[in-house]
Amino acid sequence: MPLGALRPSPLVEQATEQLRAQITGGHWPVGTRLPGETTLAKELGVGRSTVREALRALAGAGLVQPRQGAGVFVIATEPAEDWPTRLRRAAVTDVYEVRMAVEVHAARLAARRRTPEDVAAIELALEGRRTASSGDDAAFVDADIAFHAAVVAAAHNPVLTDLFTEFTPVLRTGLVELLALTGLRTRDPNTADAAHEALVRAVADGDAEGAAEVLRAELEDPFAG
């Protein structure tokens, strides 16, 4: 499959896509050394700097690997999925197991590290959850997640915060669907409020193991509150 000259805009993205198509289409199998930058630039009708950026993007996708003094070689014909993409494809049950691990430990750390400002933010989020209980399921889930995000933030661990943020969209979708299927809030619009209040108290009191246990028990509830 010959390479074709590119349109004026955006050149790097177009170059990346054309080169990616050559790799994923089998024109350049695994182990193949790619043509040099000068050759690729001539075939694509772009500058060497554009080719260089395109190759860097392909390397980031796990398709090629530069080898010092030897050139750029194909190492895979399918791009590696990044973390957000993998999460979007994951089953909500898998994400939920990760949530359990992340949040239980975050609650333990939050009880040890919380500041007065953290406690105030968690208490405010609890009130927001209670207010949202008069709304629809989506609004309630959003408020519920905001409460848990406040607890995670109180752990003062940016990696835990980033992990929670990354899987929140998949978690949100799963929780909204769960509520729609179970009708749980028809019986109790503010479901699991007592557990959330107990978590606030444990964090505020500095009871690390108590906070972890409250959250563990809460997340084992049919509603992943």
Side-chain angles (χ1 to χ4, degrees):
M1 181 174 64
L3 295 172
L6 303 179
R7 301 185 304 275
S9 163
L11 294 181
V12 172
E13 287 84 352
Q14 290 181 63
T16 302
E17 286 309 309
Q18 285 217 29
L19 296 174
R20 184 195 301 266
Q22 297 288 88
I23 295 170
T24 59
H27 181 74
W28 291 324
V30 172
T32 301
R33 179 184 181 276
L34 298 187
E37 289 182 4
T38 301
T39 300
L40 291 174
K42 183 177 179 180
E43 291 191 42
L44 292 168
V46 297
R48 290 180 61 186
S49 62
T50 298
V51 171
R52 196 172 299 119
E53 289 298 319
L55 292 175
R56 185 175 292 116
L58 293 175
L63 293 173
V64 303
Q65 181 181 67
R67 296 176 185 169
Q68 187 68 31
V72 178
F73 290 80
V74 177
I75 60 173
T77 56
E78 292 294 333
E81 287 186 338
D82 59 17
W83 180 237
T85 300
R86 184 170 296 179
L87 282 174
R88 285 193 296 271
R89 290 164 54 89
V92 70
T93 51
D94 294 334
V95 173
Y96 198 72
E97 289 176 356
V98 176
R99 180 194 188 190
M100 175 79 76
V102 169
E103 286 202 59
V104 169
H105 188 53
R108 184 180 290 112
L109 292 178
R112 294 171 180 163
R113 300 174 178 176
R114 80 278 183 264
T115 65
E117 291 76 17
D118 292 327
V119 174
I122 295 170
E123 290 174 341
L124 183 62
L126 179 61
E127 290 306 312
R129 187 179 187 277
R130 287 169 172 167
T131 299
S133 67
S134 62
D136 61 18
D137 287 346
F140 184 72
V141 167
D142 285 340
D144 181 75
I145 290 175
F147 171 86
H148 287 274
V151 174
V152 173
H156 295 282
N157 182 313
V159 176
L160 287 176
T161 300
D162 287 347
L163 281 172
F164 183 82
T165 300
E166 289 286 1
F167 63 66
T168 289
V170 178
L171 182 64
R172 179 187 187 277
T173 298
L175 293 180
V176 172
E177 291 176 353
L178 178 63
L179 287 177
L181 287 171
T182 62
L184 182 61
R185 294 185 61 236
T186 59
R187 300 187 296 275
D188 180 7
N190 192 18
T191 184
D193 181 66
H196 286 73
E197 185 173 2
L199 179 58
V200 174
R201 288 198 304 270
V203 171
D205 291 345
D207 181 0
E209 294 310 314
E213 185 53 39
V214 167
L215 190 51
R216 182 182 294 106
E218 175 199 337
L219 295 182
E220 289 173 351
D221 188 86
F223 171 59

